[in-house]
Every structure is written in C-alpha cells, then in structure tokens.
C-alpha cells in the first residue's frame, strides 16, 4: 500500500479526491492542512490529518513515510501574491518530501494558454489568460525543483472538474431541473470535463508507478460528450431531458457563411457611404442605391432572426469541437461505466456526515 500526502486536501477538489482514494485498497491518504480549522471537515469524515505548512522548519515530518505527494493547493490573490505563494509552497514541499517520492501537481488546462473556452483549445506560445499564465509558472517551479532533487514530477493539466462536491455539478443539476420540460440544444462534441473520481485514479496511477512522469492532459478518457454529461445529471436528478443535437457549425450556419460574415460589415460600410457612391455611380448605374439598401437590410434581417432564435434556445454548453492537446493517462477507466458504485458510496458517506452534524 502506498501512502499519499495531499497538500490542499481541504479544498473542493482535494477533499473529494481524498474521499475517493480512501475507497481504494492500495492507497492510504494523508491529508495535510495548515491548521485544525482547515481540516475540520476531513477529520469529521474520519481522516487522520497532519497540520502545518511546507515552509515550516519541521516540514519533513508532514511528509514522513509518504510514498508520493499530491499538490492540490490553489493560492488566491493578485498575480504577485499568487507567485509568492507558489514559491512558498512548491520548492520547500519538493525539498521536504521523502527521497524518490514523486511530486504530483494539479495544474489546469488553462495553462495551454487559450483565452476562453470558445477559442481553439490548443497550445498557445504566449498564454492569453492570466490564470493559465500563473499555472505555467507553477508548473515550471515543479519541474525545476523536482529535477534538482532527482524525483519524478507529474504535471496534470486538469479539465473542468465535476463531482459530488463540485460547484459546476451543482449548477448543472439545477440546469437539468429547470429545463426538464424544455428542449436543450447540446453540441455533438466531446467535453473537456473530468470527474474527481478520475483524478483520484490519476493520482493513484502516478503514486503506484503505473504512469511515466511528465505532463498530462487530465480529462475523462474516453471523453464524455456534452450529451453524456447532461443525461447523467438528468438521471441523477430523476428528471426527463429533451436533447436536440447541434452540429459543429450550428452557430456559423445560423449566422451565415464565413463569406457572409465578412460581406455584411463591408456592406454596412458601403451603405454608410451611400450618398458618395450614389453621387458618382448613380448616373451610370441606375437603381444601385435601391439594390444596396435592399441587400443590406436583407442580411441584417437574416442575422437578427438567427440571433433571436439562438437566444430563445437553451444552449448551456460551448459548441467547440477542439480536441485538447497533450498526453492522456492510460490508468484511467471509463468513468461512465466504473464511477457509479464509488460515487454512490461517497454520497452515502456525505449524507451520513451531514446527518451526524445535526
């Protein structure tokens, strides 16, 4: 059995991953929190927690006899404050961890640098979002200091995290309840989601030596489609769902072709200069002003009708067919099939804990 220390175990993701890891026979979880106040819920759930900071003089005691360290810390504040926090956590934690214990860092797919989830989900040489820039900085710290201590480094660029304790899951549960009787228009495309259950599998795989060190893109593998996600939450909530699949180019088709989108602004520019054009060309081309006016208003009308139809439809998911780059972990199971028993057990544990606190 491998003993895995979890830094930031009192966060939403770290806590749920710790609870899933505890269900395994081959992993013992050691949650590490800064103080007893932060570990209150974990201790209520039956964990034996260790308290302190990686920058403490006796930090080695926090990681004593651990086979791996998983870093779920998520500093907040300004960019300067977050970088300072990364430097206060990562280098000393890597240094204090036992020899040969791999360091598993939970990063984010935003580190690929795309500006938002509507943009192509590819690697950008210069990050277009501030959070991704900070995560790249943390990744470099991990790789640099692990290399300096001859330990394996795992950088897991995690997708949007779903689970029993995750905010995005609560929002989707509310969505399926609110739209139970309405059609929901869902992209026919893979999502960039991952469940806390799969993150626990990834941490276990790295700790047990089942994966090679390096950078990984951590999304569900095989990927859940947006329809898979929507229907999953509808089943969980016990409500019907009416799904209409959107083709990849649904927005583009509704708003016109690429040529139309370039032509429409050009026609607008021409229409604003109609008096000048009519003055020079009107005599040679009778009726040109009427043609320009008609075409300009026709295109505007089609566009407004398409936009109105789109706004009236329930389209809660980005219609983005980009496939995230990066290696995938081979130790992940198909969570659409394997997650249900573990999730049911976790729900029962959380319900019992909530009942006990009353």
């Amino acid at each position: 059995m491998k003993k895995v220390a979890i830094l930031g175990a009192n966060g939403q993701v770290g806590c749920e991953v710790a609870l899933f890891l505890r269900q395994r026979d081959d992993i013992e979880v050691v949650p590490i929190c800064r103080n007893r106040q932060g570990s209150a819920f974990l201790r209520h759930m039956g964990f034996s927690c260790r308290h302190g900071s990686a920058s403490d003089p006796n930090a080695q005691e926090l990681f004593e006899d651990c086979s791996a360290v998983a870093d779920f810390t998520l500093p907040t504040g300004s960019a300067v404050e977050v970088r300072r926090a990364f430097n206060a956590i990562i280098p000393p934690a890597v240094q204090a961890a036992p020899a040969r214990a791999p360091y598993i860092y939970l990063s984010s797919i935003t580190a690929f640098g795309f500006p938002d989830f509507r943009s192509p989900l590819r690697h950008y040489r210069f990050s277009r979002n501030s959070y991704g820039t900070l995560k790249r900085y943390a990744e470099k710290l991990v790789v640099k200091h692990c290399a300096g201590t001859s330990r394996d480094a795992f950088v897991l660029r995690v997708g949007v995290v779903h689970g029993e304790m995750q905010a995005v899951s609560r929002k989707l549960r509310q969505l399926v309840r609110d739209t139970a009787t309405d059609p929901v228009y869902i992209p026919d495309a893979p999502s960039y989601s991952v469940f806390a259950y799969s993150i626990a599998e990834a941490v276990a795989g790295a700790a047990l030596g089942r994966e090679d060190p390096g950078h990984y893109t951590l999304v569900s593998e095989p990927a859940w489609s947006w329809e898979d996600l929507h229907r999953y939450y509808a089943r969980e909530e016990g409500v019907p769902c009416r799904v209409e699949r959107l083709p990849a180019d649904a927005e583009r088709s509704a708003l016109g072709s690429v040529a139309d989108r370039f032509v429409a602004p050009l026609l607008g520019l021409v229409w604003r200069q109609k008096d000048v054009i009519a003055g020079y060309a009107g005599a040679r081309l009778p009726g040109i002003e009427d043609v320009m006016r008609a075409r300009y208003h026709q295109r505007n009308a089609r566009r407004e009708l398409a936009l109105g139809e789109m706004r009236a439809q329930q389209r809660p998911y980005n219609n983005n067919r980009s496939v995230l780059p990066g290696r995938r972990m081979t130790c992940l199971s198909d969570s659409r099939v394997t997650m249900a028993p573990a999730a049911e057990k976790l729900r029962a544990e959380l319900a019992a804990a909530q009942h006990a606190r009353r």
Side-chain angles (χ1 to χ4, degrees), residues 287-348:
I288 187 173
E289 187 176 354
D290 292 336
V291 172
M292 287 167 52
R293 180 188 295 112
R295 289 186 178 177
Y296 174 72
H297 288 304
Q298 282 174 356
R299 290 177 184 275
N300 265 7
R302 284 201 300 268
R303 186 176 180 82
E304 289 300 319
L305 286 170
L307 284 170
E309 183 180 353
M310 287 170 59
R311 293 187 187 111
Q313 295 173 349
Q314 288 284 351
R315 296 191 179 193
Y317 310 104
N318 288 322
N319 193 4
N320 190 338
R321 293 186 67 87
S322 303
V323 177
L324 284 162
R327 280 194 298 172
R328 304 305 199 260
M329 302 190 89
T330 60
C331 64
L332 301 188
S333 63
D334 186 347
S335 53
R336 294 170 298 187
V337 178
T338 60
M339 181 174 66
E344 183 62 34
K345 183 176 180 179
L346 178 55
R347 281 193 289 270

Side-chain angles (χ1 to χ4, degrees), residues 75-340:
T76 58
S78 68
V80 172
E81 291 169 336
V82 171
R83 286 185 179 229
R84 190 179 298 131
F86 283 145
N87 278 288
I89 296 169
I90 294 171
V94 172
Q95 189 66 37
R100 296 184 297 279
Y103 197 89
I104 307 161
Y105 180 68
L106 272 289
S107 184
S108 165
I109 56 173
T110 60
F112 284 115
F114 45 82
D116 54 51
F117 285 106
R118 294 182 298 275
S119 303
L121 306 182
R122 59 176 177 82
H123 176 76
Y124 291 73
R125 184 172 182 179
F126 299 102
S127 177
R128 308 292 181 85
N129 71 84
S130 58
Y131 185 66
T133 303
L134 291 171
K135 281 296 189 181
R136 284 186 181 184
Y137 178 78
E139 292 176 2
K140 289 177 181 177
L141 280 178
V142 170
V143 172
K144 174 185 174 181
H145 288 277
C146 284
T149 55
S150 300
R151 74 173 71 251
D152 290 339
F154 290 84
V155 174
L156 310 183
R157 288 184 169 178
V158 178
V160 177
V161 182
H162 293 252
E164 300 303 316
M165 303 172 67
Q166 307 310 309
V168 68
S169 295
R170 290 193 292 273
K171 290 179 182 178
L172 283 182
R173 288 177 184 276
Q174 184 64 50
L175 172 71
V176 298
R177 292 195 296 268
D178 292 343
T179 60
T181 58
D182 302 321
V184 178
Y185 294 80
I186 297 178
D188 187 15
S191 71
Y192 35 78
S193 63
V194 63
F195 280 81
Y197 172 82
S198 296
I199 299 176
E201 286 187 322
V203 170
L208 295 167
R210 294 173 182 167
E211 299 283 352
D212 294 328
H215 286 66
Y216 290 90
T217 299
L218 185 50
V219 292
S220 296
E221 187 65 27
W224 288 50
S225 69
W226 292 115
E227 183 176 348
D228 289 335
L229 271 179
H230 193 83
R231 291 190 182 279
Y232 169 78
Y233 285 112
R235 288 195 302 271
E236 290 291 304
E237 293 301 303
V239 296
C241 66
R242 295 172 56 193
V243 170
E244 296 287 342
R245 293 189 183 91
L246 288 172
D249 60 349
E251 280 83 3
R252 185 170 59 203
S253 299
L255 298 179
S257 66
V258 174
D260 282 343
R261 293 203 298 274
F262 281 106
V263 169
L266 180 60
L267 284 175
L269 176 62
V270 171
W271 179 246
R272 288 192 292 273
Q273 303 300 324
K274 63 183 182 299
D275 291 335
V276 176
I277 296 172
Y280 283 97
R284 294 177 179 272
L285 301 171
I288 187 173
E289 187 176 354
D290 292 336
V291 172
M292 287 167 52
R293 180 188 295 112
R295 289 186 178 177
Y296 174 72
H297 288 304
Q298 282 174 356
R299 290 177 184 275
N300 265 7
R302 284 201 300 268
R303 186 176 180 82
E304 289 300 319
L305 286 170
L307 284 170
E309 183 180 353
M310 287 170 59
R311 293 187 187 111
Q313 295 173 349
Q314 288 284 351
R315 296 191 179 193
Y317 310 104
N318 288 322
N319 193 4
N320 190 338
R321 293 186 67 87
S322 303
V323 177
L324 284 162
R327 280 194 298 172
R328 304 305 199 260
M329 302 190 89
T330 60
C331 64
L332 301 188
S333 63
D334 186 347
S335 53
R336 294 170 298 187
V337 178
T338 60
M339 181 174 66

